[in-house]
């Protein structure tokens, strides 16, 4: 069952002064023409470099900013991001990137976990704080601590507990493991995955960490300049990336075995500016496999079973 | 790689504490570490392991509540602990440089790149034009395209990858003997991360500086570094050359850390292995080995006595009672 359906989603921000706005140029599209579905109980990973629009996309879906156009359906219902704010925020929870600074330093963990109930005018059931803490693997004593008394992993867990208070159906986690060492990272990912299984949540995980994606995501989407260049099931994408950017990204992933350096696809040049998007395929300036038509025409999405990518000359059997 | 007998940096038995309202927090305990000339050393450890405290101690940029209780930090033979702020100011940005995690906060947002790169050459008795020329050359070396037109721009006009390369260019301007890099690639995607690492390696070979590279990412250490140092709860638990340590880690924490890295796990799995438990309270330390509460092999000796630093075939330093014990059987 499709829980979230996103069609032709564009998220922009106003930029420039009055004059450029009057000329109709005062908007910068950070996310452009994004389509995807997310099924109930599914985990999808959003991958791409800083500035590729991952966080902007995720925040727009959670109703947290940007000028949004396009069609978002949640559980079959069209979401008006402005009007349905409250409802959206109950169904869709967001785990912020910086766990410690997303928690107010003046509150105890108990009041932080009660806060969503208060905001939505709901009663916080007796023992609910302890139940949620237990759910995320924290001792009940944590409830009386302040954020600065928590370790990075504990703060992250409190963020997860807070996200779960109103029983959301979709949890969006922005870099849930950034800055954690590998063991704590495993614990946080196992926790999210366990909750997904237990509560039937859908997860949208934003990450840089390709090693994590391979293990936890059913599907993945690769973003470049605010667009999905490739989206599909994780294992086939790892086995055979079709878009050159995906291939470059996967091949660049540093590996732990110093003896075995694998073949890398090196990208030339810089990420182009969003203000001045390249003509033709937006990746052509950096693509090692670029051909003439790439510079002239923008490629249309190609759909294959379990996969969609946007490339004139997709890779085969790399 | 050129290595002379005298190391660039040698930390000897360093202990550092913070005064807190709850008591003395023992952030670093008897840490010894050496970096040879032109060597790249990866420093690994989770948040709270003391990586940042060690880095701050080396740079003498410690917060007010920090106190070095014993040990020395010798940089080219000079003890940094005894040096004082003026002496340190002479070294920083000249013989010792730093690249921080977030290039946006390391660069001044209201000054152009040219201005900042000229300013950091304040020690040189040259004309502004000559300094500007040096800045342009350095930016070319870190592959900033179209430098002449870009150098008069502000930091926000550059992409994340370029900003980090500018920060690297600034740090290496003075051709330091030691570059401290604090998670410089954490904010970058995999393609930029690898490009940044390759660039660092190239520049390091040209300039011949040593690098202390602080990171969470074991893959990066494996690719870039000559040596790896692993910290846990304020102690250096293992240290050795990268190849042998990755092939045969001797400390149980290192073994578990490597086993938990999802990059190491070939078969995809939903349930990733974790060490379990948490860091000990650094105000009220456990009696024996600091890792004993989480160590699957801990026995009474481990729980009662602090281990000494041993050496083993693959590692130069293993702070464990049983450095020769067979590797742990790790079940995911």
């Amino acid at each position: 069952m499709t829980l979230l359906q996103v069609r032709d989603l564009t998220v922009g921000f106003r930029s420039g002064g009055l004059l450029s706005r009057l000329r109709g140029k005062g908007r910068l599209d950070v996310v452009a023409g994004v389509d995807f579905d997310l099924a109930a109980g599914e985990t999808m990973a959003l991958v791409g470099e800083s500035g590729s629009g991952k966080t902007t996309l995720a925040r727009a879906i959670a109703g947290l900013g940007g000028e949004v156009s396009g069609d978002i359906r949640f559980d079959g219902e069209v979401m008006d991001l402005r009007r349905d704010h409250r409802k959206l925020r109950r169904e869709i929870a967001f785990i912020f990137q910086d766990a410690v600074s997303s928690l107010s330093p003046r509150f105890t963990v108990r009041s932080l976990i009660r806060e969503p109930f208060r905001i939505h005018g709901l009663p916080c059931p007796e023992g609910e704080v302890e139940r949620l803490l237990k759910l995320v693997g924290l001792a009940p004593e944590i409830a009386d601590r302040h954020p600065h008394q928590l370790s990075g992993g504990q703060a992250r867990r409190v963020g997860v507990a807070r996200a779960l208070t109103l029983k959301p159906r979709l949890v969006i986690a922005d870099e849930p493991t950034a800055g954690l060492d590998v063991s704590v990272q495993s614990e946080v990912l196992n926790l999210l995955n366990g909750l997904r299984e237990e509560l039937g949540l859908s997860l949208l995980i934003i990450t840089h960490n390709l090693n994590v994606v391979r293990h936890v995501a059913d599907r993945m989407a690769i973003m470049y300049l605010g667009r999905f260049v490739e989206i599909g099931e994780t294992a086939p994408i790892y086995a055979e990336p079709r878009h050159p950017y995906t291939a470059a990204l996967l091949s660049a992933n540093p590996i732990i075995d110093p003896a075995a350096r694998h073949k890398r696809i090196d990208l030339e040049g810089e990420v182009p500016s969003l203000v001045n998007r390249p003509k033709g395929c937006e990746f052509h300036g950096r693509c090692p496999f670029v051909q003439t038509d790439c510079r002239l025409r923008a490629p249309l999405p190609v759909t294959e079973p379990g996969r969609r990518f946007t490339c004139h000359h997709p890779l085969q059997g790399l | 790689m050129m290595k002379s007998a005298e190391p660039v940096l040698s930390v000897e038995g360093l202990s550092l504490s913070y005064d807190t309202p709850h008591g003395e927090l023992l952030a670093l305990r008897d840490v010894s570490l050496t970096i040879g000339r032109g060597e790249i050393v990866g420093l690994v450890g989770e948040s709270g392991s003391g990586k940042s405290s060690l880095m701050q101690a080396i740079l003498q940029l410690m917060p007010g509540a920090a106190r070095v209780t014993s040990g020395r930090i010798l940089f080219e033979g000079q003890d940094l602990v005894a040096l004082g702020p003026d002496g340190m100011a002479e070294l920083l940005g000249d013989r010792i440089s730093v690249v921080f995690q977030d290039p946006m906060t390391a660069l001044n947002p209201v000054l152009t790149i040219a201005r900042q790169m000229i300013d950091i050459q304040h020690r040189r008795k040259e004309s502004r034009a000559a300094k500007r020329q040096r800045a342009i050359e350095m930016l070319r070396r870190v592959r900033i395209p179209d430098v002449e037109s870009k150098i008069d721009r502000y930091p926000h006009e550059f992409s994340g990858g370029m900003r980090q390369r500018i920060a690297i260019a600034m740090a290496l301007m003075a051709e330091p003997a030691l570059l401290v890099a604090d998670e410089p690639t954490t904010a970058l995607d995999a393609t930029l991360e690898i490009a940044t690492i390759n660039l660092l390696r190239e520049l390091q070979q040209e300039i011949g500086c040593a690098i202390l590279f602080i990171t969470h990412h074991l893959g990066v250490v494996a690719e870039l570094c000559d040596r790896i140092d692993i910290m846990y709860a304020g102690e250096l638990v293992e240290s050795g050359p990268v190849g042998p340590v990755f092939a045969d880690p001797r400390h149980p924490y290192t073994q578990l850390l490597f086993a938990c890295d999802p990059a190491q796990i070939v078969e995809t799995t939903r349930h990733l292995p974790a060490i379990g438990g948490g860091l000990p309270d650094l105000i009220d330390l456990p009696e024996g080995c600091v890792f004993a509460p989480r160590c699957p092999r801990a026995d009474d000796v481990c729980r009662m006595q602090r281990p000494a630093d041993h050496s083993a075939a693959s590692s130069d330093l293993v702070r464990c009672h049983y450095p020769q014990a067979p590797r742990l059987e790790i079940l995911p």
Side-chain angles (χ1 to χ4, degrees), chain A residues 43 48-50 149 152 178-187 189-190 193 196-197 208-212 214-218 245 248-250 252-258 260-262 264-267 269-271 286, chain B residues 45-47 143 145 159 162 165 186-194 197-198 201 216-220 222-224 242-243 246 253 257-258 260-277 294:
Chain A
T43 304
E49 67 193 322
S50 325
Q149 295 167 302
L180 301 178
D181 83 311
V182 287
S183 172
V184 184
Q185 165 180 299
S186 301
E187 286 172 22
L189 291 169
N190 290 342
N193 188 49
R196 182 189 63 86
E197 281 172 1
H208 283 296
N209 191 328
L210 295 166
N211 300 319
V212 161
R214 190 166 65 90
H215 290 293
V216 303
D218 300 302
Y245 180 63
L249 203 61
L250 295 179
N253 190 23
I255 44 166
I256 201 166
D257 184 357
R261 299 274 149 86
H262 46 183
R264 288 244 156 82
I265 301 172
D266 289 327
L267 295 184
E270 291 300 321
V271 184
R286 302 178 72 202
Chain B
E46 62 192 297
S47 334
R143 308 213 182 87
S159 70
M162 271 203 256
R165 297 213 299 276
T186 303
L188 306 175
D189 88 342
T191 61
L192 290 170
E193 177 168 59
I194 214 71
I197 286 169
N198 288 340
R201 195 193 286 121
H216 284 288
H217 199 327
L218 297 170
V220 170
E223 296 241 350
L224 176 72
V242 160
F246 274 105
Y253 176 67
L257 191 71
F258 288 178
C260 288
D261 186 357
Q264 286 280 69
I265 304 158
V266 180
E267 288 290 311
T268 58
T269 170
R270 281 292 176 134
H271 191 82
L272 296 161
I275 298 178
R294 299 171 82 182

Side-chain angles (χ1 to χ4, degrees), chain A residues 168-308:
Chain A
R169 292 154 78 193
L170 168 63
V171 172
I172 301 174
D174 191 357
E175 297 274 8
T177 62
L180 301 178
D181 83 311
V182 287
S183 172
V184 184
Q185 165 180 299
S186 301
E187 286 172 22
V188 171
L189 291 169
N190 290 342
L191 168 67
L192 285 174
N193 188 49
L195 294 168
R196 182 189 63 86
E197 281 172 1
E198 211 172 305
L199 311 172
L201 298 173
S202 301
L203 289 176
L204 186 63
I205 296 181
I206 301 174
T207 182
H208 283 296
N209 191 328
L210 295 166
N211 300 319
V212 161
V213 172
R214 190 166 65 90
H215 290 293
V216 303
D218 300 302
R219 288 194 306 141
M220 68 191 287
I222 296 97
M223 291 191 80
Y224 187 78
L225 282 188
R227 298 184 200 277
F228 282 4
V229 294
E230 185 156 2
I231 174 171
E233 287 160 25
T234 304
I237 288 185
Y238 271 77
E240 194 189 355
R242 303 282 275 147
H243 196 285
Y245 180 63
T246 313
L249 203 61
L250 295 179
S251 81
N253 190 23
I255 44 166
I256 201 166
D257 184 357
R261 299 274 149 86
H262 46 183
K263 266 179 100 176
R264 288 244 156 82
I265 301 172
D266 289 327
L267 295 184
E268 295 284 314
E270 291 300 321
V271 184
S273 159
L274 286 167
V275 184
N276 211 347
R277 285 178 179 270
K279 298 245 167 6
C281 172
E282 290 178 349
F283 186 58
H284 82 247
R286 302 178 72 202
C287 183
F289 310 104
V290 63
Q291 297 184 28
T292 320
D293 52 345
C294 304
R295 298 196 175 89
L296 305 173
R297 283 183 301 117
L300 294 170
V302 180
T303 308
E304 285 178 358
R307 186 96 65 106
R308 192 180 71 229

Side-chain angles (χ1 to χ4, degrees), chain B residues 3-215:
Chain B
K3 265 174 226 165
S4 67
E6 192 208 331
V8 160
L9 183 84
S10 103
V11 177
E12 295 174 358
L14 185 73
S15 296
L16 183 145
S17 335
Y18 295 103
D19 293 322
T20 78
H22 309 286
E24 190 184 12
L25 190 149
L26 306 164
L28 295 176
R29 296 180 307 284
D30 194 14
V31 171
S32 298
L33 172 151
T34 52
I35 303 176
R37 249 169 228 291
E39 203 170 42
I40 311 184
V41 173
L43 183 63
V44 177
E46 62 192 297
S47 334
S49 64
K51 295 190 307 271
S52 301
S53 292
L54 179 58
M55 181 186 90
Q56 287 166 357
I58 291 170
L59 301 173
Q60 291 290 299
L61 297 173
M62 299 169 291
R67 250 177 329 114
V68 171
T69 50
S70 67
R72 303 192 296 172
I73 303 171
L74 296 176
F75 173 76
E76 297 187 320
Q78 222 175 352
D79 186 4
L80 302 183
V81 177
L83 195 58
D86 290 342
M88 211 54 215
E90 285 291 307
L91 286 179
L92 286 179
D94 188 34
R95 303 295 297 147
I96 305 176
S97 281
V98 198
V99 178
F100 290 101
Q101 183 169 352
D102 180 358
M104 202 55 208
T105 49
L107 298 171
N108 188 332
V110 298
L111 298 179
T112 63
I113 298 299
R115 169 75 195 278
Q116 297 184 53
M117 291 195 71
I118 291 168
D119 283 356
I120 56 163
Q121 301 177 59
H122 63 94
R123 290 185 181 91
R124 283 181 179 270
K125 310 245 175 311
E126 279 175 8
S127 69
R128 277 186 86 79
K131 287 179 179 174
R132 186 185 161 90
Q133 198 48 43
R134 277 173 53 85
I136 287 173
E137 271 154 34
M138 198 63 215
L139 289 173
R140 266 204 204 106
R141 280 166 83 178
V142 297
R143 308 213 182 87
I144 300 295
D146 196 11
V147 177
E148 276 91 347
S149 74
K150 291 228 166 82
I151 190 167
D152 291 309
R153 295 195 184 173
Y154 292 88
H156 76 268
E157 297 177 87
F158 294 87
S159 70
M162 271 203 256
R163 266 181 228 147
Q164 196 56 290
R165 297 213 299 276
I166 293 168
I168 290 172
M170 289 175 74
L172 294 177
M173 277 290 274
E175 311 214 333
L178 175 66
L179 176 70
V180 178
D182 183 17
E183 303 203 36
T185 60
T186 303
L188 306 175
D189 88 342
T191 61
L192 290 170
E193 177 168 59
I194 214 71
T196 309
I197 286 169
N198 288 340
L199 179 75
L200 262 181
R201 195 193 286 121
E202 269 173 45
L203 290 172
Q204 184 267 343
Q205 275 164 5
E206 284 173 36
I207 294 170
C209 63
I211 303 180
L212 179 63
F213 195 95
I214 300 167
T215 182

